[in-house]
Amino acid sequence: MPQLNPEFFVSQLFWLAVFFTFLFVFLWRVSLPRIATVLEKRQNKIDENLSSAKELQEQAMEIEKKINDQINKAKLETDEKIKETINALQENVSSQLSSLDKDLEKKVSDAEKEILKSKDDQMKNINNEIVDITKLTVGKITDIEMSDNELNKVIETHKGNFN
Amino acid sequence: MAAKDSPLKQFEIDPISNIELGGYNISFTNSSFAMLITVLVITLFLTLTVNTRSIIPSRMQLISELMYNFIAQLLSDTVGDNGKRYFPFVFSLFMFVLIGNMVGMIPYQFTFTSHIIVTFALAAVVFIGVTILGFINHGIKFFTFFYIPGVPFYMHPLLIPIEVISYLSRPISLSVRLFANMLAGHTLLKVFAGFVVSMPFFTGVFPLAFIVALTGLEILIAFLQAYVFAILTCLYINDAYHLH
């Protein structure tokens, strides 16, 4: 078996020592730090991105909160304004209604007064007519000349029976 | 010397240039050449693929990073935070064995991990390093490593020698495991390759198909043995920190 032939043992060991030492030192000093830097850089980048993403999320949440606040505020303001307007309109309407009521009442009372007055007038006229007719009738039938005062008195006493 | 067609012929060492230093033969051989290629592949790959240092890695850079994370994870799982200091060593060991095995899978290429002297040297470095580490961390108390707590006292005369022997056989088991796996796999491939040629008519395709399947298995074993070598090194380092 060539493996057990000691002829090249020293040579094998010598070159193994040379090459393995070179490999070890090279990897230790050059290659591995390089890979380590890359991995570290990547990890840093990932951490950075994660933290900035977190920050942005927080900012977004803040903005959302602000928007919600503003919406709420605007809602409240609108509600207030709507209420105010409704109140103002209601006041306006009620004042106008009351003034209309007053007008109407006045008009109604005026009309009532006029009606009463015209009724009175009419009644007076009717009375006069009644007196006249009665005078004429009595005069024609009986030839009795009655004074207006007398007729009035008679009519007054019988007035209740007419109605 | 093996015979011309022996399956063991592939393990023979041929000097490429004869060098002598202080009376020792340190010729640059095909084994040294395989080591050189291995080291070149590892250093060039790990350097060039990470050259751009891009945050979003290319596929090749991703391979380097995966290897880095694979061994880093292995160390932190077995040793914990103490293990970070030994990361370059364990990583070098893993890559050297892994790529050494893989280079050996190239036809006509020499497999230096199939030589017991090479694997034993690597295992001895691990063993001596871990033992020194144990004494640095625990001083003379490191010997309590061989004392198993919670065992009846009369068992200790039996158990302590067993523990000592098992500790001392660590470098042997570590090196022989890798060496034997490589030796057996490559010998088997060579034997079946011989069948392809020597079998009559077209029946040679059967051993050929077997070789194809076996090559896949050998690549798996190449990775697996490098992994085993690395994880056992991690476990030994862990033992040097945590006695029972």
Side-chain angles (χ1 to χ4, degrees), chain B residues 6 9 97 157 166 211 226:
Chain B
S6 160
K9 192 175 183 298
V97 174
S166 84
I211 285 177

Side-chain angles (χ1 to χ4, degrees), chain B residues 64-224:
Chain B
S64 298
E65 287 173 13
L66 283 174
M67 283 167 170
Y68 182 100
N69 282 330
F70 179 65
I71 299 299
Q73 190 67 40
L74 184 69
L75 254 178
S76 72
D77 283 350
T78 49
V79 188
D81 281 342
N82 290 329
K84 278 179 188 156
R85 298 167 56 189
Y86 311 104
F87 176 66
F89 178 71
V90 176
F91 188 79
S92 307
L93 207 57
F94 173 74
M95 292 305 283
F96 191 66
V97 174
L98 175 66
I99 304 301
N101 291 347
M102 291 300 181
V103 164
M105 286 311 295
I106 300 168
Y108 294 102
Q109 186 52 254
F110 188 83
T111 318
F112 63 81
T113 45
S114 68
H115 272 250
I116 182 72
I117 186 69
V118 174
T119 60
F120 185 77
L122 289 173
V125 168
V126 172
F127 176 75
I128 293 167
V130 163
T131 307
I132 291 171
L133 194 66
F135 278 111
I136 287 172
N137 285 334
H138 299 286
I140 203 77
K141 270 190 182 169
F142 183 63
F143 284 115
T144 61
F145 182 74
F146 305 117
Y147 177 88
I148 300 171
V151 172
F153 68 94
Y154 50 83
M155 291 295 284
H156 285 306
L158 187 65
L159 282 177
I160 288 174
I162 290 176
E163 283 292 305
V164 173
I165 291 168
S166 84
Y167 186 79
L168 292 176
S169 65
R170 274 177 176 185
I172 298 165
S173 70
L174 193 58
S175 56
V176 169
R177 184 180 297 112
L178 177 58
F179 151 72
N181 266 287
M182 289 304 119
L183 176 75
H186 285 265
T187 309
L188 198 59
L189 277 175
K190 183 78 184 187
V191 166
F192 274 85
F195 287 167
V196 175
V197 181
S198 62
M199 278 172 82
F201 306 118
F202 299 108
T203 47
V205 294
F206 296 114
L208 184 65
F210 188 78
I211 285 177
V212 172
L214 200 62
T215 305
L217 181 73
E218 279 303 306
I219 286 171
L220 177 73
I221 288 173
F223 172 79
L224 201 67

Side-chain angles (χ1 to χ4, degrees), chain A residues 2-3 8 11-16 19-20 22-24 26-28 31-32 34-36 38-39 41-42, chain B residues 8 11 13 25-27 31-32 36 39 43 47 51 53 55 57 61 65 68 88-89 96 114-115 183:
Chain A
Q3 280 90 342
F8 291 105
S11 151
Q12 293 261 67
L13 290 176
F14 174 79
W15 289 107
L16 174 69
F19 286 127
F20 188 74
F22 170 77
L23 179 73
F24 172 63
F26 189 86
L27 292 188
W28 180 28
S31 295
L32 295 178
R34 271 192 192 195
I35 301 177
V38 170
L39 292 175
K41 212 165 77 176
R42 181 173 312 140
Chain B
L8 295 178
F11 303 116
I13 290 173
N25 175 12
I26 53 159
S27 304
S31 167
S32 320
L36 175 66
V39 169
T43 50
T47 309
N51 218 8
R53 296 179 174 80
I55 288 206
Q61 187 184 331
E65 287 173 13
Y68 182 100
F89 178 71
F96 191 66
S114 68
H115 272 250
L183 176 75

Side-chain angles (χ1 to χ4, degrees), chain A residues 87-118:
Chain A
N87 281 344
L89 281 174
Q90 268 176 348
E91 256 168 45
N92 204 355
V93 166
S94 63
S95 74
Q96 278 191 4
L97 273 176
S98 67
S99 73
L100 268 177
D101 275 354
K102 266 180 203 162
D103 275 9
L104 278 174
E105 254 168 47
K106 207 182 153 205
K107 274 187 183 161
V108 166
S109 69
D110 281 1
E112 267 176 358
K113 270 178 198 165
E114 218 156 279
I115 289 166
L116 274 177
K117 206 182 147 200
S118 64

Side-chain angles (χ1 to χ4, degrees), chain A:
Chain A
M1 209 153 84
Q3 280 90 342
L4 301 179
N5 175 11
E7 188 188 347
F8 291 105
F9 273 9
V10 179
S11 151
Q12 293 261 67
L13 290 176
F14 174 79
W15 289 107
L16 174 69
V18 168
F19 286 127
F20 188 74
T21 309
F22 170 77
L23 179 73
F24 172 63
V25 172
F26 189 86
L27 292 188
W28 180 28
R29 286 293 173 201
V30 182
S31 295
L32 295 178
R34 271 192 192 195
I35 301 177
T37 338
V38 170
L39 292 175
E40 204 176 314
K41 212 165 77 176
R42 181 173 312 140
Q43 195 55 48
N44 286 343
K45 182 91 184 169
I46 290 170
D47 288 349
E48 211 173 86
N49 283 351
L50 277 179
S51 70
S52 74
K54 214 176 177 186
E55 217 168 83
L56 285 176
Q57 200 186 12
E58 268 167 21
Q59 276 178 10
M61 275 168 86
E62 223 166 78
I63 289 170
E64 203 186 321
K65 209 183 150 198
K66 259 187 199 165
I67 290 172
N68 280 338
D69 279 359
Q70 276 183 351
I71 288 174
N72 280 340
K73 212 173 140 196
K75 258 188 193 166
L76 285 178
E77 271 175 18
T78 325
D79 282 355
E80 193 87 348
K81 270 204 179 142
I82 289 171
K83 246 184 216 167
E84 264 174 32
T85 319
I86 288 174
N87 281 344
L89 281 174
Q90 268 176 348
E91 256 168 45
N92 204 355
V93 166
S94 63
S95 74
Q96 278 191 4
L97 273 176
S98 67
S99 73
L100 268 177
D101 275 354
K102 266 180 203 162
D103 275 9
L104 278 174
E105 254 168 47
K106 207 182 153 205
K107 274 187 183 161
V108 166
S109 69
D110 281 1
E112 267 176 358
K113 270 178 198 165
E114 218 156 279
I115 289 166
L116 274 177
K117 206 182 147 200
S118 64
K119 195 184 166 188
D120 279 359
D121 286 356
Q122 291 299 321
M123 286 305 276
K124 232 178 238 172
N125 282 347
I126 288 170
N127 270 2
N128 290 343
E129 292 291 311
I130 288 169
V131 169
D132 283 352
I133 291 166
T134 315
K135 203 174 163 182
L136 269 175
T137 319
V138 170
K140 284 269 161 104
I141 297 169
T142 61
D143 283 344
I144 298 167
E145 197 84 23
M146 288 183 87
S147 72
D148 285 1
N149 276 343
E150 278 175 321
L151 272 172
N152 269 340
K153 241 182 230 171
V154 175
I155 288 163
E156 278 298 313
T157 53
H158 293 287
K159 207 175 187 178
N161 299 336
F162 298 154
N163 292 337

